[in-house]
Every structure is written in C-alpha cells, then in structure tokens.
Amino acid sequence: MEQLWQEFFSDPSQWWDNRLTKKRPKHPDFKHKRTLEVLWVDGWMNPSWVKEKMASMTLSHIQSGDGLRSRVPDCFCNGDKLSKLCKEGRLKEALHMLELMVQQTTKPPIPAYVCLLKGCSRRKALAEGKQVHALIVQSVLDSNIFLANTLVHMYSKCGSVLHAHKVFSNMPQHNVYSWTAIISAYADSGEVEEAINLFHQMQETGLAPDKVLFVVVLKACARLATLEQGKQLHSEIIKRGFQSDVVVGNTLVNMYAKCGCTEDARELFDNMSERDVVSWNAMIAGYAQNGLGKEALALFEQMKQEGVHPDNVTFVLLLKACANLAALEQGKQLHSEIMKRGFQSDVVVGSTLVDMYAKCGCTEDARELFDNMSERDVVSWNAMIAGYAQNGLAQEALALFEQMKQEGVHPDNATFVLLLKACANLAALEQGKQLHSEIIERGFQSDVLVGSTLVGMYAKCGWTEDAREFFDNMSERDVVSWTAMIAGYAQNGLAQEALTLFEQMQREGTKPNEVTYISVLSACAHSGLVDQGRYVFDSMCKNHGVTPTQEHYACMVDLLGRAGCLADAEHFINKMPIQPNSVVWMTLLGAARNHGHVEIGRRAFDGVVKLEPKNAAPYVLLSNIYAAAGRKDELATMSLPSCFSKLFQLAS
C-alpha cells in the first residue's frame, strides 16, 4: 500500500480522481489509468503520512474527451503554505488564502477545505470554522460526504452540537463516519442519552458500526453507567469479531468498571488476547474508582512482574488510590519509583504527588514537593490549596492564593471553589466577599459550580438572605445549586424554608439527588418535623428512584431519635434492607443517651461494638447512660474488654 501511494504522489496525472464524482463510500477515491489499482484516502491500511501529504496537495482534475487529465492550478503553490499556516494556528491568514483560491477561476480542491477545518477543530475556532463552511457552500461542495463529515467533526470540537446536527441532517446520505461524527458530538457535549439514541437510529438504517463507533458508544454507556446497554454492545462486538481489538477491549474493561462491575471487568481483562499499558491503566482505574485501592496496588505489582512498563497515567491513578486509602507508606514507595523512572518532572504526576501527601495529612511534605517542582500549572496550585483546605489550614490556603497571583498564575473556577470552601469552613465572611468581587472581575460569576459554592459560603457564614439573593439571581442553576441553598437553610435551622425550596426545586423540573435528600432529612431532624421527614424519605424511594445509602438511614434514625421515638428508630434499623453500619448504630446510641433509654442504648452499643470493637466512643456513651440511670454498678457485671474498664470508671 505504501508503494502505491508513493507512485501516486510521484505522478498523480496517471490516476483518475473520483472524489467529487463517486456516489458511494466504497468506491475508490483514485484509480490508476493503466493498472486499475485503487486507493482510498481514508483506507485503514494507509501509511500515517498519507493524510498530511493529501492536505498539502491541491491538485484538481477535469474531465476531457478521452478520460481524466490532470491540471495544476495557480493555487497549487499555496498548498504547503496553507497547511503550514493551519498547523501554526494562523487560521485568519489561512482563511484569507482560501478565500483568494475560491475567487479564482479554478476552485480549490477538497483537501484545502479539510486542512483548514481540521485547523479550526484543533483551535476550537468556531467563527473561522463557520466562514470555511460558508466557502464550502459557495463552492457548491456542501453535498460532498467527506467534507460534510469533517464539518460535523469541526462543529463538535468547537462545542456547537446544534450546527453539527444541522449539517448532519442536511446531508443527502450518511456513512458510518457521518454517524460516528454526530454521535461523538453529542457524547462529547454531555448529551450521552441522545448519543445512544442516535446509535440505535443508525442501526435501524442497516449500517454496520465499526470499531471506532463501538468505542464511542461504550464510553457513552460508561458515563451513564447503563450496564444493560453496555452488555448488549459487548454481545454485538463479539458477533462482529471485534473482541480481540485491544482498544475495544480496553474500552469494555472501562465500561464494566464504571458500571461498578469490577469482577466482570477483571475477567475480561484477564482473558484479553493482547494487553497494552492502557489495558492495565483501565483496570487499575476501575479498582481505584470503586474504592478498591488495595486491589489497584496489587495489580500494579503484577503489571511489573509481567514486564509491562508503567507510564505517567499509571502513577497518577495509583497515587490517587493511595490518597483515597491514606496509604502514606505505599505512596512514598510510588514516589521512589517515580523518581527512578524519571517521571518526577511530569507536571501532572507532580501535582498528584502533592495531592497524595496532603490527603495523607503530610502538608509540610506536600508543600516541600510543591516548592521544588520544576514546572507548575494551575492544577499544581489547586492541589496545594486543596491540601491546606482539607487539613483545616484555610488561612494557609488563602495565603497561597495571594502568592499564586503574585507569580502571575491565573486562577480557574476550581481555584475559587476551593477557596470559597476554605472561607466557609472558617466562617470568614469578609475574605469570602473579597473572593466574590474577584470572581466577578475575572468573569466566573456565571459558572454554575462557582455560583453554587458562593451560595454555600454565604449560608455557612450565617448570611442566608445574601445566599438566597445570589441563588435567585443565578443565570443557570443545577441540582448542586438547589442543594447548596437547601443545605444552607438546614444548617441555619430554617427547616420550613428548606422544605419550601425543596418543593419549588421539583416544580421547576430539577430532580433531587442523594445529597439533596440528606440536606432535607437533616433539616427535618433538627426541627422535629417527623411526619415531613417520613414523607420525604418514602418519596425518595418510591417516587424518585433514589436508593437510600447508610447516610440517609442515619438521618432517619436521627430524626426519630431526636423526637424521642426510640422504639420506632430501632424498628427502622431492624427493617433496613442493608446491614446498618456503625454510624447508624451510634446515632441510635446517642439518642438513647439523650433520652435515658438503657435497654435500647445497650442494644445499640452491641451493634456498634460488633462492627468497631476498638472504638472508645460507644463505651463512653453507654457508661453515661448507665450512670444517668443510677445503674453504673451493673457495668461491672457486663462482659466487656478489660482495656475499657478504666475508661468506664472515668466516664461514670
């Protein structure tokens, strides 16, 4: 194939150019006049340099009486220059050159348009992309399937799904590349359900998906965690014989892991006929994302034993696993290995090391590493700011922000979210207000996450009216925004306001999530609204399809316990469909102490100690319950660990 392309570029005049006249994608783009050999510009066996060479080549062919003959227009000499301008990001100059070419008698060929459209995609230059589109329409080339596919891709990369869909809808015919382009556009923009719907529409047309499209749709399933859809795709992949493709296999591993099926992901991983470093990273990421940090670290050891060299992504994933486990020693070992393999200068690895040390409570080590980084970006600064904030060192976080600005590093939305949370934890209203002013100056006030965090900051500082005013004026609100305001009311003892806003949220079409329900149940608990709390909990399960977590159950036990309904609270725990954790039992034990209920307190104590025998808190609470009831002598007859006998004596 490489030899054929070399022959083509050495003398294109010996080949017929069918790109503008061919009616089906399976028809060749070029056909040799003598040998009848054929070539496709997008052929999967093509050498990597073909597309680049084509982009710089601006040959045009015209029909003559005895066949096609080649003509080199005046614009031929501009082909290389156009390609160079696009690669350098000088799109306005490249666009001006293309306009001049269009104005000539001989129109520029398709590769010239493709070259500029790809340049617009790389730079996310929507305005220039639209101008190229206008030139394509002017040249009456908008029905060309290859150009139309490239336009859909360009609009997708520039974030305009609406324009991408308009181009797609106006195409006279679609091939698998057309469908892949529009499905990718929707998936990349976060409209994952629509992407999957389009995939089903494509299947109804009878077109067979290729490997690339399967990868796109599997990623969409992973983002939605739609396991059944993913399994159906897996079956179809096997039918079409793509299961041995390493990229498809890696994406399947990722899909199963993102859907929480780590065992299925591991089985698939173990049975892969070919694995590369991306395969190992996908499985390590799957373990880490599902809270199985130890398994991720064990797999890393196996990876080394099998002679697979980890890359920077491997270390980033493993460091995050150590951070989540607070596994400092293993994190240090990884740090040593990073140094040995020469990844210490990688800015992403360095930032993740800072994060790991900070999450393990070693802020001084994190800061030393941060100060010694050869290169730092905004993510590095955010990692250190987050480290201070997470360890209760909010003042240090704010001081580092000042240093960040002095060094000319521009904060992003994540920086302000971290700093606002630090202010909220300190109840530092004045500093929060200063940040608010800076957010407006830098144009982040319309960012929904920044706005939601501002609401939370004002509410945690006790300024619920200011929080509500800002909330009402937000140009865009999502479930996080509503939850922040509801939580703000709950934290300030304004349960009725929280419930009213919760109802408004649903009326306006925003679906509450798990965190929203925790805030509402907490508001009910602190205000003694037992009936409302019961109703909210029941509607969460029955009407909104939210599966209660241990935290939701603990909120309900707290609600009933605070109201003195201890028997109901205990009955509620005994009827739980999942095994109650120590927090649920401790909540009941605390309520039993507050209401002086010895028997329920003893049973709650047994529930906690069974799960956490070395936790001192339940022993202290039980001792207080017996002492308050005048029955502390009974503690001596109880069969309890000897190590807690002194603790009981001190507590009583």
Side-chain angles (χ1 to χ4, degrees), residues 447-507:
D447 184 280
V448 69
L449 184 57
V450 172
S452 303
T453 316
L454 269 167
V455 169
M457 185 276 295
Y458 278 117
K460 280 191 178 176
C461 291
W463 287 53
T464 51
E465 290 184 9
D466 290 61
R468 182 57 188 265
E469 182 181 355
F470 184 81
F471 172 82
D472 287 338
N473 290 325
M474 285 177 72
S475 57
E476 181 188 351
R477 293 188 297 230
D478 63 6
V479 64
V480 178
S481 319
W482 288 92
T483 301
M485 193 64 244
I486 290 167
Y489 280 138
Q491 289 155 3
N492 286 279
L494 302 170
Q496 203 54 59
E497 287 84 346
L499 287 168
T500 302
L501 190 62
F502 178 61
E503 290 169 4
Q504 182 186 338
M505 171 188 186
Q506 294 173 85
R507 282 198 306 272

Side-chain angles (χ1 to χ4, degrees), residues 272 306 397 571 604 637:
M272 286 176 71
E306 294 193 16
H571 179 71
T637 65

Side-chain angles (χ1 to χ4, degrees), residues 25 27 56 75 93-94 144-145 148 167 239 245 256 269 280 326 331 354 359 392 402 457 467 487 500 615 637:
H27 292 163
S56 64
C75 62
E93 294 174 60
N144 179 275
I145 193 167
V167 173
K239 285 178 190 173
D245 182 88
Y256 278 112
F269 172 82
W280 290 88
V354 169
K359 282 194 175 155
E402 292 303 316
M457 185 276 295
T500 302
N615 185 354
T637 65

Side-chain angles (χ1 to χ4, degrees), residues 599-633:
E599 298 308 319
I600 288 180
R602 177 55 203 260
R603 290 194 290 274
F605 168 83
D606 290 340
V608 180
V609 171
K610 186 178 178 181
L611 297 169
E612 295 183 7
K614 294 183 180 179
N615 185 354
Y619 294 92
V620 175
L621 287 174
L622 186 67
S623 176
N624 291 340
I625 292 170
Y626 273 85
R631 296 167 59 180
K632 63 180 180 180
D633 293 339

Side-chain angles (χ1 to χ4, degrees), residues 235-251:
S235 298
E236 196 162 344
I237 284 164
I238 293 169
K239 285 178 190 173
R240 296 186 182 277
F242 294 140
Q243 71 274 18
S244 60
D245 182 88
V246 68
V247 178
V248 174
N250 295 343
T251 317

